[in-house]
Amino acid sequence: MMRRRMIVALVMFMLLALTALTLVSCGQKEEIRQYTSLEEFKDKRIGVCTGTIQGAAAEKEFPDAEIYYYDSHTDMLASLRQGKIDAFADSDIIIRYTMIENGDLTYLDEHLTEPVRIGAIFRKDEKGERLRDQFNVFLQKSREDGTIEAIDKIWYGTDNSLKKVKEPKSLSAENGVLRLATDSGNPPVSYRGENQVIGLDIDIVTRFCEEYGYGLEIVDMSFPVIVNSVETGKCDFGAGGIGITRERAESVNFSDPMYEGNSVIAYLQEDSGGKGGFFESLKESFEKTFIRENRWQLFLEGIGTTLLITVLSILFGTLLGFVVFMLCRKGAPVANAVTRFCIWLIDGMPIVVLLMILYYIIFSKSQISGTAVSVIAFTLVFGSAVFSILKLGVTTVGTGQMEAAYSLGYTDRKAFFRIILPQALPHAMPSYKGQIKSLIKATAVVGYVAVQDLTKMGDIIRSRTYEAFFPLIAVAVFYFILAAILIWIVNRIEIHTVPGRRAGKGDRQSGDLNVPEG
């Protein structure tokens, strides 16, 4: 059964990919027009990235326009090509880099804002101020000896063989390890290359750590939460195209500017390059998604993280739900009241909100990883579901079963485990397996707390390929396969543990009171 499901998933993957690419290649092209001034965008649909300077600037500059918020530059480009927006606001640094592999993209020379100074951010405490001062000294020295100029030429250039960063693991770390918050979806300032986070900002930061004897741990996360991660102490500093603003400076300390950029409006133009035939496009898309830079390894890494979080959450959540159910089974008023309140709180809260509360508030001062926080959050969610499933399953067993067990001399504990629970499990297992499927799909939001799961890896690959088809379809198929594998394992366990499902014991009815002979 599992093998058939995996084959179906792979076939579905290819069919969806072929269908999507066929629609794109055969679809009608949007009307291309040229723009000459910002005034022409006043009533257009403008895309912006959440939490960026360009978002606030677009709202101010175009009060009558429709502003659409996105989590990544790749999503804005995809929406632009699909005609969902007319243009998007972004940094000219990022747009110029994107234009290298996307000949249909251009931008208006007129700037949306004054030049934006880009810097690193540090905590507002003694350690943060010391690190900021050291970083500023390093920047000043690097400008004077020409290092910053050389770094700019590397990352703004077209020679990819030069775009390398020293691996963080090779740094000496004699003065401790610093945690850097960044978003690897912002090429060329911070992005994934050869399964390592590289980029302009990462190059500068790595050289700084090497100069001052620091080790470096890069924590990849969504751009909107970088400032919050540094402010709450989850990371020591942050970098990755962070514009210096007065509002952000209220929460964190900025370094001296590393470089400057401009906010501009990007839109589509006629692509003179051409993309060849359908099958050539299909082959190129597959190569960019899986083969180039060994990106298939990113999918494997994401699958491992997703499986780890899911399996641990299932184990701990099942244990938590069962223990709480046993505490509340006899109707203890206090235990039941506390449990009802906790379940009401967990069930009524979106899981992404629960994750962020745990990561940025409850565990803000600890160095607990995003993966551990995700396990805790999903353990609570799954434990709540298990409690409700057990409660419902036990109610399906008639009260006469317990009375009969008592009359035969069974203790309360023995009666529950030998009589009630075996009869309740067949009723509970379908809902339990449904919760497992829901859990593995719900883990897709853990990227909000700096976890590089399967979905996050798909986003990283999309930010490098500027395509959505293969990365998104691959992620969907992988989730399908993972869910099938976990359900298959649970089914095997159920066959060997649940009465009525055991091989060779189908004649025993789960609804009967089975009393040992003698």
Side-chain angles (χ1 to χ4, degrees):
M1 179 64 70
M2 184 183 69
R3 187 176 301 173
R4 285 202 298 270
R5 289 180 179 177
M6 294 177 66
I7 294 174
V8 170
L10 293 175
V11 172
M12 182 182 69
F13 167 63
M14 295 304 300
L15 289 176
L16 287 174
L18 289 170
T19 302
L21 289 174
T22 301
L23 290 174
V24 170
S25 61
C26 298
Q28 294 183 346
K29 289 187 176 180
E30 291 291 323
E31 180 184 354
I32 304 297
R33 59 167 296 183
Q34 293 295 320
Y35 297 93
T36 58
S37 69
L38 291 176
E39 180 68 19
E40 298 177 66
F41 293 99
K42 63 180 181 180
D43 58 351
K44 300 295 183 181
R45 298 166 298 172
I46 309 296
V48 297
C49 275
T50 304
T52 60
I53 292 176
Q54 289 78 27
E59 289 180 346
K60 182 178 179 181
E61 182 71 23
F62 310 114
D64 297 326
E66 295 182 59
I67 306 297
Y68 293 81
Y69 290 89
Y70 295 88
D71 289 331
S72 71
H73 314 278
T74 310
D75 292 337
M76 289 196 297
L77 179 58
S79 294
L80 181 63
R81 285 174 171 158
Q82 294 164 2
K84 296 178 181 178
I85 56 176
D86 301 300
F88 65 83
D90 213 334
S91 166
D92 63 338
I93 298 172
I94 294 175
I95 291 176
R96 289 203 306 270
Y97 184 89
T98 306
M99 287 169 57
I100 296 175
E101 296 186 12
N102 298 272
D104 58 345
L105 186 68
T106 187
Y107 65 94
L108 194 67
D109 287 335
E110 187 177 355
H111 298 161
L112 187 61
T113 64
E114 295 295 322
V116 178
R117 299 179 302 162
I118 307 299
I121 58 174
F122 301 84
R123 294 207 310 267
K124 281 197 168 184
D125 57 17
E126 184 178 348
K127 179 181 178 181
E129 292 175 357
R130 184 177 70 254
L131 285 174
R132 179 201 58 188
D133 294 341
Q134 290 177 342
F135 193 76
N136 286 340
V137 171
F138 169 78
L139 288 177
Q140 181 64 31
K141 176 184 174 183
S142 298
R143 288 194 186 94
E144 294 174 354
D145 63 17
T147 300
I148 294 295
E149 183 179 357
I151 292 174
D152 289 346
K153 289 181 179 179
I154 291 173
W155 298 101
Y156 292 141
T158 57
D159 189 351
N160 291 328
S161 64
L162 299 177
K163 297 177 180 180
K164 298 180 180 179
V165 173
K166 190 169 185 178
E167 290 190 10
K169 294 180 180 179
S170 65
L171 299 175
S172 64
E174 59 190 50
N175 292 322
V177 178
L178 300 180
R179 290 168 56 87
L180 171 71
T182 191
D183 178 4
S184 64
N186 290 327
V189 296
S190 177
Y191 64 98
R192 280 265 180 171
E194 296 293 344
N195 296 333
Q196 178 187 353
V197 180
I198 60 176
L200 174 61
D201 285 25
I202 306 302
D203 196 352
I204 295 175
V205 166
T206 303
R207 293 173 189 250
F208 161 71
C209 291
E210 184 178 22
E211 177 81 14
Y212 281 87
Y214 291 116
L216 181 64
E217 179 185 349
I218 298 177
V219 184
D220 194 0
M221 61 185 64
S222 299
F223 185 86
V225 298
I226 292 178
V227 173
N228 189 260
S229 294
V230 175
E231 180 186 11
T232 58
K234 300 299 293 185
C235 294
D236 298 297
F237 66 136
I242 304 174
I244 300 175
T245 66
R246 183 176 302 175
E247 186 175 7
R248 289 173 178 167
E250 295 175 358
S251 303
V252 292
N253 286 324
F254 273 96
S255 69
D256 293 337
M258 295 188 287
Y259 52 89
E260 290 187 350
N262 294 298
S263 300
V264 295
I265 295 292
Y267 58 93
L268 292 180
Q269 65 175 353
E270 288 289 354
D271 187 359
S272 60
K275 290 197 173 183
F278 168 71
F279 288 104
E280 287 77 8
S281 299
L282 179 66
K283 180 180 178 181
E284 181 184 2
S285 179
F286 184 89
E287 188 271 337
K288 288 169 65 177
T289 301
F290 298 101
I291 309 302
R292 192 176 300 179
E293 297 180 352
N294 294 320
R295 288 173 184 156
W296 59 271
Q297 295 180 2
L298 295 179
F299 281 118
L300 287 183
E301 183 181 341
I303 288 172
T305 302
T306 297
L307 266 180
L308 176 66
I309 294 173
T310 303
V311 172
L312 291 180
S313 299
I314 291 173
L315 294 176
F316 295 149
T318 301
L319 179 62
L320 174 65
F322 185 80
V323 170
V324 173
F325 174 80
M326 293 302 294
L327 293 175
C328 300
R329 186 172 66 89
K330 303 301 291 184
V334 176
N336 275 275
V338 172
T339 301
R340 282 196 300 269
F341 173 78
C342 292
I343 292 177
W344 169 79
L345 193 65
I346 294 171
D347 290 348
M349 188 185 306
I351 184 61
V352 66
V353 176
L354 176 61
L355 273 171
M356 297 183 75
I357 288 176
L358 290 174
Y359 190 75
Y360 294 111
I361 298 178
I362 296 178
F363 296 108
S364 62
K365 300 303 181 182
S366 67
Q367 293 301 316
I368 185 171
S369 69
T371 301
V373 170
S374 300
V375 171
I376 293 173
F378 286 105
T379 294
L380 294 175
V381 172
F382 198 74
S384 171
V386 169
F387 175 86
S388 299
I389 290 171
L390 283 173
K391 189 174 182 180
L392 182 62
V394 169
T395 57
T396 62
V397 182
T399 56
Q401 295 286 310
M402 202 68 174
E403 295 173 357
Y406 287 152
S407 67
L408 293 173
Y410 279 73
T411 63
D412 179 77
R413 180 175 178 276
K414 184 180 293 187
F416 177 79
F417 282 101
R418 292 194 178 185
I419 307 301
I420 304 301
L421 186 60
Q423 297 182 64
L425 285 179
H427 301 282
M429 288 306 294
S431 297
Y432 182 77
K433 286 182 281 189
Q435 286 298 324
I436 291 177
K437 292 180 181 179
S438 299
L439 175 66
I440 195 169
K441 291 182 288 186
T443 59
V445 301
V446 297
Y448 282 92
V449 292
V451 177
Q452 296 181 2
D453 68 319
L454 179 55
T455 301
K456 179 65 175 178
M457 288 305 187
D459 291 340
I460 290 173
I461 292 173
R462 285 195 299 124
S463 72
R464 296 289 289 122
T465 63
Y466 302 104
E467 295 182 359
F469 303 127
F470 273 110
L472 289 179
I473 293 172
V475 168
V477 172
F478 287 141
Y479 274 114
F480 184 90
I481 293 174
L482 291 178
I485 292 173
L486 289 177
I487 294 302
W488 180 82
I489 293 174
V490 173
N491 282 335
R492 302 306 299 177
I493 296 174
E494 182 183 7
I495 289 173
H496 290 86
T497 57
V498 177
R501 291 294 306 275
R502 299 173 189 168
K505 297 186 179 181
D507 55 318
R508 295 178 62 172
Q509 301 297 318
S510 61
D512 294 338
L513 177 62
N514 298 302
V515 183
E517 295 182 2

